[in-house]
Amino acid sequence: MTDQVRVGEVTRPRRAGVPEATVARLPVYLRALHALAEGGATTVSSEALAQLVGGGSAKVRKDLSHLGSYGTRGVGYQVEELVFHISRELGLTQGWAVVLVGVGNLGHALAGYGGFTSRGFRIAALLDSDPGRVGELIAGQRVRPVSDLDDVVRETGVSIGVIATPGASAQDVCDRLVLAGVTSILNFAPVVLQVPDGVDVRKVDLSVELQILSFHQNRRVLSAGLVPEQGVSA
Amino acid sequence: MTDQVRVGEVTRPRRAGVPEATVARLPVYLRALHALAEGGATTVSSEALAQLVGGGSAKVRKDLSHLGSYGTRGVGYQVEELVFHISRELGLTQGWAVVLVGVGNLGHALAGYGGFTSRGFRIAALLDSDPGRVGELIAGQRVRPVSDLDDVVRETGVSIGVIATPGASAQDVCDRLVLAGVTSILNFAPVVLQVPDGVDVRKVDLSVELQILSFHQNRRVLSAGLVPEQGVSA
DNA sequence: GTTTGTGAAAGGATTCACAGCA
DNA sequence: TGCTGTGAATCCTTTCACAAAC
């Protein structure tokens, strides 16, 4: 936090090198802070915040220190101030336009999910390749055909695409998104997408977490000694 | 892989110490391997697998080496064999019974999601606290009231609970699950759950990934346009 | 020749512990 | 006194590079 970086005409505290691990936790802090603010809290200590998100206070402090020095010794952090700085760091003040492709069960859930709009994302369009779905009204939006993608991107300045199609069509949709100029993609389809350099893909896999849970559950059962042996032995 | 560990009455190659980072990737390998098997491939090299999942071949080899020594030098890995060993390591051969609480949009999507059942999970029951939803038929299952939870756990030996309720009721549902004896919980609600020691909670937050994407998109826009020179790395 | 398995090196992330400030 | 901010130490993860095996 000591050195400075020139951005345009102004210098401001360097926040360029925020570690990935920290970035991944900022949304979690943000949610906790919103909850605190709703509850009427004005300040919060690293210890209290750590309690809320499940972690150590030192980690919280180090994370927040990457955004700048916004705490007060002996007191803690101002909730509203932290919300502002984290939101800005995450780019949530930009009001990104998002296009959602695929309005099956999951797409429906995503279109109606408050967590997107409440964090500054604007769903610019809902697309689906199934002609039977086109025209359907979901969360106040009319579903449009995937062929409208180029128009949508041009009209609304979409920079983030969300893929909630079946696995089979995900790569095709992805290619179209990239071709249309979308550089950030959130993929809910159960496939690993291939994209050119310069495009950022993140994947949310509903079953991966369940499998990780299974691993731990399995270990717990095994170490509890209840299951003598399973499958192949050495 | 050299030392041994006693489990019950037998010794077998130690696989107890699989690093978390590796565990998190095993489901991804598993999916790629299933796709390869469907495509008719019988062997795969670490390099090819790395290509498919997006990573380095050394990482793949080190990951797989934690399961044992199942590759053949000069050849690669047997696809089917790897599928078996990874599945077993993840405990997917146990056929865990899962109870899903909350059958709103997201719950619907989860109940119909093939990725659960195709990986050996069995949805033992669907529960909802809304009396209006009880009795509804989803994916061949009839929705039952949350008050049936104890019965469900007793009857079906459920060990994993999935929470897909609104945030407001998630902690309550979580408490009931814990009380009923469930020790692994997958939480889709946008809150951080508090649980006693010995209970494993994993959270999937649909908007967290979008916010991380926003961070990178923001950085890209900043460094592409306005920032003259240094500061922003990558 | 090809590809695995793995020590060793390098790079990150977390935790410790305390100086410094309100 | 209470709590932040941060070097230093520790732990974990990734990458390198190559001997061993096919």
Side-chain angles (χ1 to χ4, degrees):
Chain A
M1 273 330 85
T2 45
D3 65 358
Q4 306 264 312
V5 59
R6 274 190 68 84
V7 174
E9 290 302 307
V10 232
T11 51
R12 45 157 100 157
R14 156 188 276 256
R15 292 184 313 281
V18 184
E20 260 323 291
T22 295
V23 172
R25 281 187 295 267
L26 290 180
V28 183
Y29 296 141
L30 193 53
R31 185 191 311 291
L33 290 166
H34 273 123
L36 282 169
E38 268 175 41
T42 59
T43 66
V44 64
S45 69
S46 60
E47 183 58 41
L49 195 46
Q51 202 77 19
L52 284 172
V53 304
S57 63
K59 183 151 67 172
V60 171
R61 290 198 298 279
K62 185 138 279 182
D63 281 343
L64 297 181
S65 78
H66 288 112
L67 312 191
S69 192
Y70 300 121
T72 308
R73 290 158 200 251
V75 178
Y77 303 86
Q78 297 294 119
V79 173
E80 293 293 355
E81 197 184 351
L82 259 196
V83 166
F84 171 73
H85 288 297
I86 293 177
S87 296
R88 195 177 46 142
E89 188 65 39
L90 287 172
L92 303 181
T93 53
Q94 303 272 354
W96 302 112
V98 173
V99 59
L100 171 60
V101 188
V103 291
N105 270 330
L106 181 58
H108 259 87
L110 292 174
Y113 181 52
F116 288 177
T117 48
S118 77
R119 289 293 178 274
F121 298 99
R122 180 168 49 88
I123 296 189
L126 305 175
L127 308 180
D128 203 297
S129 59
D130 179 356
R133 291 216 116 104
V134 172
E136 199 177 327
L137 203 65
I138 300 174
Q141 295 257 357
R142 206 168 45 79
V143 177
R144 301 169 63 174
V146 176
S147 53
D148 279 15
L149 185 58
D150 286 306
D151 292 340
V152 167
V153 173
R154 205 175 313 112
E155 290 162 15
T156 64
V158 159
S159 47
I160 299 179
V162 176
I163 299 178
T165 65
S169 37
Q171 183 65 57
D172 177 54
V173 167
C174 174
D175 293 344
R176 285 163 182 254
L177 284 169
V178 171
L179 224 61
V182 174
T183 50
S184 294
I185 294 173
L186 182 58
N187 177 33
F188 285 91
V191 292
V192 178
L193 297 173
Q194 310 291 330
V195 291
D197 283 355
V199 178
D200 190 12
V201 178
R202 297 195 69 87
K203 194 160 82 71
V204 178
D205 191 315
L206 304 180
S207 86
V208 163
E209 295 294 321
L210 193 58
Q211 291 176 55
I212 296 174
L213 213 46
S214 167
F215 171 84
H216 291 294
Q217 175 74 18
N218 193 39
R219 265 245 290 232
R220 184 157 33 209
V221 172
L222 287 180
S223 67
L226 303 173
V227 180
E229 181 60 6
Q230 167 215 356
V232 176
S233 59
Chain B
M1 266 336 77
T2 46
D3 63 358
Q4 305 264 311
V5 59
R6 275 188 70 83
V7 174
E9 291 303 305
V10 232
T11 50
R12 47 154 103 150
R14 160 184 279 260
R15 291 184 313 280
V18 183
E20 269 308 307
T22 295
V23 172
R25 282 187 294 267
L26 290 180
V28 183
Y29 296 142
L30 193 54
R31 184 191 312 291
L33 290 166
H34 272 123
L36 282 168
E38 269 175 40
T42 59
T43 66
V44 64
S45 68
S46 60
E47 183 58 41
L49 195 46
Q51 203 76 21
L52 284 172
V53 304
S57 63
K59 184 150 65 172
V60 171
R61 289 197 299 279
K62 185 139 279 184
D63 280 343
L64 297 181
S65 78
H66 288 112
L67 312 191
S69 192
Y70 300 122
T72 309
R73 291 158 199 249
V75 179
Y77 302 85
Q78 297 294 119
V79 173
E80 294 292 355
E81 197 183 352
L82 260 196
V83 166
F84 171 74
H85 288 297
I86 293 177
S87 297
R88 196 180 47 145
E89 187 66 39
L90 287 173
L92 303 182
T93 53
Q94 302 272 354
W96 303 113
V98 173
V99 59
L100 171 61
V101 187
V103 291
N105 271 329
L106 181 58
H108 259 87
L110 292 173
Y113 181 52
F116 287 177
T117 47
S118 77
R119 288 294 178 273
F121 297 101
R122 180 168 48 88
I123 297 188
L126 305 175
L127 308 180
D128 203 296
S129 59
D130 180 356
R133 290 217 116 105
V134 172
E136 199 177 326
L137 202 66
I138 300 174
Q141 296 255 357
R142 202 162 287 286
V143 177
R144 301 168 64 174
V146 176
S147 53
D148 279 15
L149 185 57
D150 286 306
D151 292 339
V152 167
V153 172
R154 204 176 316 111
E155 290 162 15
T156 64
V158 159
S159 46
I160 299 179
V162 176
I163 299 178
T165 66
S169 37
Q171 182 65 57
D172 177 54
V173 167
C174 174
D175 293 343
R176 286 163 180 254
L177 283 169
V178 171
L179 225 60
V182 173
T183 50
S184 294
I185 294 173
L186 183 58
N187 177 32
F188 286 91
V191 292
V192 178
L193 297 174
Q194 311 291 330
V195 291
D197 282 356
V199 177
D200 190 11
V201 177
R202 297 194 68 86
K203 193 159 83 71
V204 177
D205 190 315
L206 304 179
S207 86
V208 163
E209 295 294 320
L210 194 58
Q211 292 176 55
I212 297 173
L213 213 45
S214 167
F215 171 84
H216 291 295
Q217 175 75 17
N218 194 37
R219 266 242 295 225
R220 184 157 33 208
V221 170
L222 286 182
S223 65
L226 311 166
V227 181
E229 211 253 297
Q230 50 107 347
V232 180
S233 56

